Amino acid sequence: MSDADLPTDLTDEAIEDLRQFLWAAPSPFHAVAEAARRLEAGGVREVAEADDWGFVPEGYVVRDGTLVAWRVAGTADLPAGIPWRIIGAHTDSPNLRIRPRPDLRRAGMRQLDVEPYGGVLLNSWLDRDLGLAGRAVDAEGRVTLFRTDEAVLRIPQLAIHLDRDITTTGLLLNPQQHLHPLWGTGADGRAFSELLAELTGRDDAVAWDAMTHDLTAPAVVGGDLLASGRLDNLVSCWAALAALEASAPALNRMVVLFDHEEIGSLSHRGAQGTMVRQVLERITHSMRGDAGTLAQVVATSFCFSADMAHATHPNYPERHEPNHLIALGGGPAIKTNVNQRYATDAVSAAPIVRAARSAGVALQWYAHRSDLPCGSTIGPATAGALGIRTADVGAPMLGMHSARETMATADVAPYRDLMTAFLSGA
């Protein structure tokens, strides 16, 4: 299935546009490419990190699976002291990634050697038709994106006749032993490098970042649910880009789509890195500001860390904090954690509440059970790297980190509208 083959459902413009974005982005690199395409269509132009920018009132820069886009409220002749409103999200999702020596042959089958990326719900990848996507790089560093939406891989589950304990002890998967996808029979057959050459049109790749994706297209289920892979966190990326396009130019506005959130954000393109600070410094310098100017601006700026939130699961209500139940279709949730797994505090929550009131968006408040470990986001990393007040907010969903996740269609437009109001300084 290609992009053009994605079935359309034009009953809701926002849902249809989100579906197209989800389908276009089977890897972080494709997510960035689709984001760049949309920015270019809106008149925002790319600048290269290695170039001398000068004053760029609106632009974007790409570093592998991360993109930073901005629109400046002032001009080169105005002071650089206008506050920033920043939305941060992430392009990566848990999946299975292909190792450097991928070819395996066992029990008369050809398989690929994979490594889980991030906190994968491993069972959700079983018995699915899987495609491949990512990038290949030659010895000169030239990058080629690739994807195939043909069913090239599948991981069969062990039959119940050979695992009778599954009904009492549950499914137990060893990530080293039980996740190698099948892609053919017999001792002979094409190697992974041959498939890669077919997909890229070149045979000189020396390395790759290749990963699996589920081939079931994003779909509206039951009339008011959206099911898709990578809702976490491409929904936030989509909403942030739409908000940047629609927001009013009262403040400096920035959208950052980070890679590597699912593995802790510590990389040259992750939220714990220096990329966003470097971009802010260059923009400030181009507006005749200096390090002191940037520090003054950051002191009055805010960051909206956009990452999906846990809705209350109707089959497992005991796993949720009983006084902070989150409803699908109930609106975005402000996420709090006193141990700073989420960056929200009382001050950083205030502009989110004001924006919600301005946009007519209902808010929910999420808190995690005290007896369960809490996940995290780019929020604490961004707050620490920039010294900026940050609130964590997300649209509610179920099945987080599954190969296929679920949210309410009613939460899509309000999430976007909340971000638009926030960037507009409401």
Side-chain angles (χ1 to χ4, degrees):
M1 182 182 288
S2 67
D3 291 354
D5 296 325
L6 178 62
T8 58
D9 177 5
L10 298 176
T11 56
D12 187 298
E13 183 178 349
I15 300 300
E16 176 57 22
D17 192 52
L18 173 57
R19 289 177 68 244
Q20 296 294 334
F21 186 84
L22 292 165
W23 185 250
S27 79
F29 316 110
H30 289 83
V32 164
E34 175 62 13
R37 185 191 70 78
R38 291 171 177 240
L39 289 166
E40 293 278 350
V44 183
R45 299 292 176 250
E46 182 177 10
V47 293
E49 286 190 273
D51 290 348
D52 182 0
W53 292 358
F55 176 63
V56 183
E58 54 182 21
Y60 71 92
V61 63
V62 171
R63 185 184 291 179
D64 301 323
T66 293
L67 178 147
V68 182
W70 64 90
R71 282 187 157 139
V72 173
T75 70
D77 297 323
L78 291 176
I82 299 174
W84 283 93
R85 288 291 176 98
I86 299 174
I87 298 176
H90 66 88
T91 58
D92 60 323
S93 299
N95 54 22
L96 305 175
R97 303 204 172 189
I98 311 302
R99 282 181 159 146
R101 299 180 63 183
D103 296 300
L104 299 173
R105 287 173 172 81
R106 294 174 178 170
M109 303 296 298
R110 288 185 293 117
Q111 297 177 278
L112 291 183
D113 195 4
V114 298
E115 184 175 4
Y117 174 87
V120 189
L121 272 177
L122 297 177
N123 64 292
S124 68
W125 291 89
L126 303 181
D127 296 322
R128 289 185 179 272
D129 295 339
L130 302 177
L132 282 169
R135 64 177 180 176
V137 184
D138 69 11
E140 303 302 318
R142 291 182 289 258
V143 177
T144 303
L145 295 190
F146 67 87
R147 72 180 288 175
T148 176
D149 299 316
E150 300 295 328
V152 293
L153 300 174
R154 192 172 180 87
I155 309 171
Q157 185 168 330
L158 185 64
I160 193 170
H161 313 80
L162 304 175
D163 188 14
R164 293 291 188 182
D165 293 336
I166 191 172
T167 57
T168 56
T169 62
L171 177 63
L172 301 176
L173 293 172
N174 183 310
Q176 176 68 22
Q177 296 177 301
H178 301 148
L179 295 176
H180 301 303
L182 306 181
W183 72 313
T185 62
D188 299 323
R190 63 181 175 177
F192 176 76
S193 60
E194 295 174 282
L195 173 62
L196 194 63
E198 293 175 17
L199 297 178
T200 61
R202 351 180 13 167
D203 60 3
D204 55 355
V206 297
W208 54 77
D209 296 304
M211 59 204 72
T212 56
H213 62 279
D214 174 39
L215 293 181
T216 308
V220 175
V221 177
D224 59 359
L225 298 173
L226 177 65
S228 175
R230 305 176 300 282
L231 293 180
D232 175 25
N233 190 33
L234 293 183
V235 176
S236 299
C237 295
W238 169 85
L241 291 166
L244 182 64
E245 174 67 21
S247 55
L251 299 171
N252 293 330
R253 294 157 291 155
M254 178 175 286
V255 164
V256 188
L257 310 182
F258 287 109
D259 199 356
H260 289 163
E261 188 275 342
E262 297 291 359
I263 55 173
S265 295
L266 183 58
S267 71
H268 88 301
R269 59 183 186 266
Q272 290 198 58
T274 60
M275 185 178 180
V276 176
R277 176 168 288 278
Q278 290 170 351
V279 172
L280 288 171
E281 288 172 348
R282 295 178 74 165
I283 294 172
T284 302
H285 180 72
S286 73
M287 300 176 74
R288 303 179 185 177
D290 55 20
T293 308
L294 180 57
Q296 289 177 298
V297 170
V298 167
T300 56
S301 299
F302 286 92
C303 177
F304 182 129
S305 169
D307 206 345
M308 302 296 277
H310 297 292
T312 301
H313 199 302
N315 295 338
Y316 302 90
E318 72 280 0
R319 294 295 181 125
H320 300 271
E321 209 292 308
N323 202 39
H324 293 80
L325 301 183
I326 301 297
L328 288 179
I334 299 178
K335 300 189 284 187
T336 66
N337 182 266
V338 295
N339 295 302
Q340 284 294 287
R341 299 297 288 168
Y342 303 129
T344 311
D345 63 18
V347 174
S348 66
I352 306 300
V353 173
R354 290 197 303 271
R357 289 174 177 172
S358 173
V361 171
L363 286 176
Q364 305 184 80
W365 290 81
Y366 179 84
H368 206 68
R369 283 188 65 98
S370 299
D371 54 0
L372 290 177
C374 183
S376 193
T377 67
I378 62 129
T382 305
L386 296 179
I388 187 172
R389 292 191 184 276
T390 301
D392 273 292
V393 187
M397 63 174 291
L398 295 171
M400 188 177 290
H401 289 195
S402 172
R404 193 163 178 83
E405 302 162 326
T406 305
M407 69 178 297
T409 57
D411 285 323
V412 171
Y415 196 33
R416 174 203 61 196
D417 296 345
L418 174 63
M419 293 190 197
T420 302
F422 172 79
L423 287 183
S424 300

